[in-house]
Amino acid sequence: MTTRHLYLVRHGAADAFGELTDTGRRQVGLLGERLAGVPVDVVWHSPLPRAVASARELARRLPGVPVIEAAELVDHVPYVPTAAETPPSWAGFFDGYDDAEAASGQSLAEALVARFAKVTGSAARAPRSTHEVLVTHAYPIAWLVRHALDAPPSRWLGLNSANTALTVIEYRDGLPPTIVMFNDMSHLPPDLRWTGFPEGVRP
């Protein structure tokens, strides 16, 4: 059976200008060591600088693996919820989003799903499993997880990912997607975990 393994990764920690920090580079390096044991076919990345730098840093631990930009992985709001769908903690976040911005984000979200949330290959070729790393941002990861769960559109809210945390989704012909892991940080020491999350007590 053909299986498409997607390894979803939020970029390393970045500064206020969107540039990868020393902490971010350390995080990506450790993630690279973890993924070095996986037969990675390709590293896709968002066009934003923090994701580009993370993908390049990751590629240093994955020699020979192609690194390719994918516009669908850019940071974006995939779905603007109605007032009734918005949790109190998100109140005000979507103020100022007009219909054009909401439509643009939804269009990107649909393109993201169309490109990555399916089994690859064709009937003309022998079945082949693939292992693909997607270096992206918290919101696209949340949207792909929501899609895999067949959850309501607004359910992407609250599915946050730490910097370089690993989320794995598998796609197989004729079966619903399988979420193998979500927001896994076991490759990071405690002092490098939970960056990208609001301050708070973490296990």
Side-chain angles (χ1 to χ4, degrees):
M1 178 180 289
T2 301
T3 303
R4 187 178 196 179
H5 307 263
L6 291 189
Y7 301 82
L8 309 177
V9 175
R10 185 179 178 184
H11 58 82
D15 62 23
F17 301 100
E19 300 295 333
L20 210 59
T21 63
D22 289 340
T23 292
R25 279 185 281 275
R26 288 174 61 203
Q27 290 171 324
V28 176
L30 290 167
L31 176 63
E33 291 175 13
R34 179 176 183 177
L35 291 177
V38 174
V40 176
D41 294 289
V42 62
V43 174
W44 303 98
H45 65 82
S46 155
L48 297 182
R50 56 193 183 274
V52 174
S54 295
R56 288 176 179 164
E57 193 72 24
L58 195 60
R60 294 175 56 194
R61 276 78 177 180
L62 303 171
V65 175
V67 177
I68 306 171
E69 182 177 303
E72 297 89 344
L73 295 174
V74 73
D75 200 9
H76 67 279
V77 170
Y79 175 78
V80 177
T82 64
E85 294 173 311
T86 305
S89 60
W90 286 79
F93 181 84
F94 300 102
D95 291 351
Y97 274 85
D98 59 28
D99 291 343
E101 289 173 308
S104 175
Q106 194 159 349
S107 178
L108 268 171
E110 290 169 359
L112 174 69
V113 166
R115 183 167 185 180
F116 292 108
K118 63 181 181 180
V119 177
T120 55
S122 68
R125 293 184 296 193
R128 176 180 177 270
S129 294
T130 60
H131 297 262
E132 303 166 63
V133 177
L134 277 56
V135 182
T136 182
H137 310 272
Y139 295 171
I141 293 171
W143 188 253
L144 287 169
V145 170
R146 179 221 63 83
H147 178 268
L149 292 172
D150 198 22
S154 63
R155 194 59 192 90
W156 73 272
L157 299 172
L159 293 173
N160 203 358
S161 294
N163 295 116
T164 71
L166 191 60
T167 293
V168 181
I169 305 177
E170 294 178 349
Y171 299 89
R172 296 180 178 86
D173 287 315
L175 293 173
T178 299
I179 296 178
V180 178
M181 65 178 66
F182 174 70
N183 198 43
D184 185 90
M185 293 172 273
S186 58
H187 51 284
L188 300 175
D191 63 311
L192 294 182
R193 297 178 184 174
W194 299 110
T195 64
F197 266 65
E199 291 294 327
V201 176
R202 305 295 175 193

